Amino acid sequence: MGGEKERLLAEVSSARERFEREAGSVSLVAEIDALRIRYLGRKGLIADFFSRLAQLPPQDRPVVGKAINDLRAYVSAEIDRLRATAASQARAEVVFDPTLPGTRWERGRFHPLLQVLDEIVDIFTSMGFSVETGPEIETDYYNFEALNIPPNHPSRDLQDTFYLEGPHLLRTHTSPVQIRSMEKQRPPVRMIAPGRCFRKDTPDATHSPMFHQVEGLWVDKGVTFAHLKGVILAFAQKLFGKDVRIRFRPSFFPFTEPSAEYDFSCIMCKGAGCRICKNTGWLEISGAGMVDPAVFGFVDYDPEEYTGYAFGMGVERIAMLKYQIGDIRLFYDNDLRFLSQF
Ligand code: DAH
């Protein structure tokens, strides 16, 4: 007749076998939890074994205690393993659950400035202009000297230009690309140069120390101011619609003679006068003119043989007009609430 010690040892070992069977048939987290509570819980099987262990005579306790401890270690390791498996399966199920809302991927888009820049480039390339680029770090020669800008010209002032070491500076306009393009080839030259420019301006609603321009240049035999007007009109109408009119006002730039500033009729009020055009009916765009013969001298073009026109424009200004944006700084804040509107 076996004593309590043997009975307890037998129960411990059959509990282990039962646990093995039961563990083999659970998979849900809730089932695993129920199993854990039944074996390891405060009122569970193993707790019961321990309280019966306390009733045994002291000399029997080490052997039985070890058997119960082994059972407990085994059960809790198994429970941990089952839980880990269940958790990774649950994750896998979530990934493939077609009823869940799914991760939303925002669709990217081009920055509004780049969109406008692309549009400008498309219009000019469709009219036969090539696209040239030049360095943003320029030399005094290309940014000023070869453009016939004299040493005492205000745009050379320290207050306007970011000077770097030696002859280097951050280009203040895209006009130096004219010079670089003419140096590289003989006429005909028909190019635009989009790019970034820098000036020491304090940022406000219409100024930014970094901004974008597109430069244009056409040099060939017999190029006249009439060609310039034709191209600017075609550009204005492709960009803002057939109703747009243009006008040229006399102006001065060291690298063109004669020089002009050109305006578009206001795209908001169609010229009637509104807040955007300050009641003038016209929007100032930028400068243009016939390439000064002195500039041809720097690139070794014969001004008796060739003439050319040049023009510039500010990309931010055009984008602000096109999208009715009141503050240039919005372009550079990278606030998605702003950017996602375009
Ligand atoms: N470079 C001038 C500026 O930044 C713009 C400009 C005026 C460009 C007249 C031209 C031009 O090509 O002919 O203000």
Side-chain angles (χ1 to χ4, degrees), residues 172-173 175 178 199 213 215-216 253 255-256 260 286-289 310-312:
T172 58
H173 51 180
S175 303
Q178 283 186 30
R199 282 182 205 175
Q213 286 188 341
E215 187 77 14
F253 296 99
F255 35 92
T256 43
S286 186
F311 59 87

Side-chain angles (χ1 to χ4, degrees), residues 83-124:
R83 275 179 161 172
T85 315
S88 72
Q89 260 164 11
R91 263 197 301 282
E93 277 159 25
V94 167
V95 169
F96 293 110
D97 183 348
T99 66
L100 284 175
T103 315
R104 197 190 166 98
W105 289 88
E106 289 294 336
R107 190 163 172 191
R109 65 195 86 204
F110 288 114
H111 192 283
L113 272 182
L114 198 54
Q115 291 183 34
V116 170
L117 191 57
D118 276 349
E119 200 178 334
I120 295 170
V121 168
D122 280 350
I123 291 172
F124 282 104

Side-chain angles (χ1 to χ4, degrees), residues 27 86 144 180 203:
S27 61
F144 295 126
R180 291 180 174 277

Side-chain angles (χ1 to χ4, degrees), residues 273-286:
C274 69
R275 196 175 50 85
I276 304 292
C277 60
K278 301 194 185 88
N279 279 314
T280 62
W282 294 96
L283 302 167
E284 293 177 17
I285 302 298
S286 186

